[in-house]
């Protein structure tokens, strides 16, 4: 046996084969162990991650020794990193990683009254990241460095499971609809949106029902950015969108991530909604870093 072949086999097992996936909710979600997301990311591991995302929608990887560099490498391995629409909209700057929380540095944090803290409360409305972009997000990757002693969780639901719970005639009634998603519509309820930023994000038409390209399972795609149904009155639009959001986000269908430092979560924005549960920024520090991978194209071309 040539020297080294044994090591190749062992390495492969560690990189992809040893990945253990344990479901955490009946609808979706899994805790994944046996994977170091900060180590080498060979094609077998990347493919195993894509497959797990397609199947489980939300993946929790505890105890990751993450860094910004490693998170950006992981993001690039999964596809094209998506730039912050906030920085780009306001100043034209391109940045691919951002802080979620109130931490500025080891000594300094933003308090409740800070406009940045207030604006981030927009994340406490159920949403799918970047559903208001022409090419919306495939996945988000969020890593926890510092977490509040109380609150500061993130809740998830599956819009695939919700679609599956609709009656066949309800599914048929929504299958071909298109929806306008509008960041200014949703987020200006929470905090003013800077003029440059608002001007950079016109409302975008998306398919209401999306299909996973790997296994063909379908899901609806709404959340707080969903503003109206194309061709429908405002009243009828809101009735349907509010009903679909309410149906998907009922308490019994939620999975709540109580963050611990070292947790990395990857979620599929194509088929899930999430929201922050909130925390007291006057009392606690929260330091999480977020990246996103751009989706494969406009939903209307899927
Ligand atoms: C996000 C987000 C919620 C939270 O990072 O996209 O919505 O709990 N986070 O901070
Ligand atoms: Mn989000």
């Amino acid at each position: 046996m040539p020297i080294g072949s044994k090591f190749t086999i062992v390495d492969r097992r560690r990189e992809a084969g040893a990945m253990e996936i344990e479901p955490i909710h009946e609808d979706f979600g899994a805790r994944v162990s046996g994977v170091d997301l900060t180590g080498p990311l060979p094609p077998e591991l990347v493919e195993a991650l894509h497959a797990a995302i397609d199947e489980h929608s939300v993946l929790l990887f505890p105890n990751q020794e993450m860094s910004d560099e490693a998170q950006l490498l992981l993001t690039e391995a999964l596809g094209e990193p998506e730039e912050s629409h906030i920085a780009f909209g306001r100043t034209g700057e391109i940045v691919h990683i951002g802080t979620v929380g109130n931490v500025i540095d080891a000594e300094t944090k933003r308090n409740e009254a800070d406009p940045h803290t207030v604006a981030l409360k927009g994340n406490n409305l159920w949403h799918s990241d970047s559903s208001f972009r022409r090419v919306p997000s495939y996945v988000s990757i969020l890593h926890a460095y510092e977490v509040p002693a109380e609150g500061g969780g993130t809740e998830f639901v599956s819009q695939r499971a919700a679609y599956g719970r609709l009656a066949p005639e309800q599914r048929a009634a929504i299958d071909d609809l298109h929806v306008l998603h509008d960041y200014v519509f949703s987020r200006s309820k929470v905090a003013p949106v800077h003029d440059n930023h608002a001007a950079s994000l016109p409302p975008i038409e998306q398919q209401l029902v999306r299909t996973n390209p790997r296994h063909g399972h379908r899901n609806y795609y709404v959340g707080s950015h969903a503003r109206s149904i194309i061709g429908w009155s405002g009243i009828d639009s809101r009735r349907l969108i509010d009903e679909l959001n309410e149906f998907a986000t009922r308490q019994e269908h939620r999975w709540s991530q109580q963050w611990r430092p070292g947790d990395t979560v990857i979620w599929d924005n194509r088929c899930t909604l999430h929201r922050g549960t909130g925390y007291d920024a006057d009392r606690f520090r929260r330091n999480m870093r977020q990246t996103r991978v751009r989706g494969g194209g406009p939903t209307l071309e899927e």
Side-chain angles (χ1 to χ4, degrees), residues 6-85:
K6 195 169 160 225
F7 290 96
T8 310
I9 292 165
V10 170
D11 278 351
R12 284 242 177 79
R13 278 187 48 81
R14 195 185 305 129
E15 284 155 4
M19 188 155 122
E20 273 181 42
I21 298 185
E22 180 199 339
I24 47 183
H25 183 281
E26 65 188 61
D27 282 352
F28 68 102
R31 184 180 293 103
V32 186
S33 54
V35 179
D36 177 5
L37 295 175
T38 71
L41 298 166
E44 313 85 77
L45 173 56
V46 172
E47 175 46 31
L49 291 173
H50 285 302
I53 291 163
D54 281 328
E55 184 168 349
H56 299 285
S57 306
V58 179
L59 303 175
L60 164 62
F61 301 82
N63 302 317
Q64 299 292 317
E65 302 262 333
M66 193 53 79
S67 63
D68 280 1
E69 294 68 32
Q71 189 168 346
L72 284 164
L73 285 173
L74 172 64
T75 308
E76 280 166 21
L78 291 173
E80 187 189 343
E82 188 190 283
E83 72 282 5
S84 159
H85 58 87

Side-chain angles (χ1 to χ4, degrees), residues 100 123 127 129 142 152-154 259 267 274-277 286 290:
V100 175
N123 280 342
H127 64 283
D129 289 338
L142 188 57
T154 308
W259 294 94
W267 66 82
H274 63 279
R275 70 166 182 184
T277 60
R286 189 174 193 243
Q290 210 243 42

